[in-house]
Amino acid sequence: ALDWIDEYGDLLGNGYISYWRRNTVNGLENQCWKDSPDSISYHDGRIPRPPRATCELQGYAYDAKIRGARLARQFWNDPAYADRLEREAAELKQRFNRDFWIPDKEYYALALDPDGNPVDALASNMGHLLWSGIVEPARAKAVTQHLLSPAMFSGWGVRTLANTEARYNPVGYHVGTVWPFDNSIIAWGL
């Protein structure tokens, strides 16, 4: 799995896990936790072309490298591999916080498009980042404030997409509904 992250997950060679569907007949357009075709969009509602690198996938990769390093050090008796994974995780965290952070909005981009531009919709995916540990500590408060803001928090939980976004629909599959799976990871991170 750790080799897959670097060998196969990095479709663009930019150090990020990206996806695109190979089966254009009935393959899923989105292959992150939000698999609906309209779930990854810009603030204005446009859909980015693939491949897409969603933010939470980078957090999962970071977490995998950190946990893999612990396994390598404690159980596999491979401190060199552990050191390498920790170095790669630290580099990923630094790159991620540079490329995904949207300074004027003070939140993480939902994704990067194939040109490396932020897909700027305010979405729940960034809540998974708190759980993964990839968030810079100085940014955790801003992320938390967005997640618990009236735009994101419905009273029942964190919406998958903020009610300020063009594609927002309170009963849409991944464009405004509240998902227990999503909220459990967000709560764990909080």
Side-chain angles (χ1 to χ4, degrees):
L2 290 166
D3 289 341
W4 181 91
I5 290 170
D6 300 323
E7 295 296 320
Y8 301 101
D10 185 3
L11 298 177
L12 297 173
N14 62 3
Y16 296 123
I17 295 177
S18 297
Y19 62 81
W20 66 340
R21 67 180 180 172
R22 293 186 302 181
N23 178 343
T24 57
V25 176
N26 55 12
L28 292 173
E29 182 72 26
N30 285 307
Q31 297 175 13
C32 57
W33 93 261
K34 292 179 181 173
D35 60 359
S36 56
D38 60 348
S39 62
I40 308 301
S41 67
Y42 297 96
H43 169 70
D44 63 11
R46 291 176 297 127
I47 302 287
R49 66 185 203 290
R52 300 176 185 124
T54 59
C55 66
E56 80 279 8
L57 294 179
Q58 315 324 308
Y60 302 160
Y62 173 81
D63 178 69
K65 288 179 184 268
I66 292 295
R67 291 175 193 257
R70 189 174 347 148
L71 287 170
R73 194 173 310 288
Q74 294 178 357
F75 299 104
W76 302 337
N77 195 29
D78 194 343
Y81 187 43
D83 290 345
R84 187 185 107 201
L85 289 172
E86 288 169 346
R87 187 173 54 255
E88 290 172 359
E91 291 167 0
L92 173 59
K93 184 174 186 172
Q94 182 180 27
R95 267 193 336 273
F96 175 83
N97 278 279
R98 178 193 68 215
D99 297 343
F100 277 77
W101 185 250
I102 305 173
D104 60 322
K105 296 183 178 186
E106 291 196 309
Y107 62 79
Y108 289 96
L110 171 57
L112 295 182
D113 67 20
D115 298 320
N117 298 313
V119 178
D120 62 348
L122 178 56
S124 65
N125 302 52
M126 72 175 170
H128 297 216
L129 302 174
L130 294 170
W131 165 82
S132 73
I134 201 169
V135 171
E136 288 292 338
R139 294 179 174 166
K141 184 176 180 179
V143 170
T144 300
Q145 288 173 332
H146 279 292
L147 292 169
L148 300 178
S149 72
M152 292 290 300
F153 191 74
S154 71
W156 298 102
V158 176
R159 297 177 177 99
T160 49
L161 188 66
N163 65 11
T164 54
E165 305 307 300
R167 287 197 173 271
Y168 172 72
N169 177 347
V171 294
Y173 188 47
H174 290 125
V175 290
T177 52
V178 174
W179 281 65
F181 158 79
D182 190 29
N183 276 260
S184 68
I185 293 176
I186 292 168
W188 195 0
L190 291 171

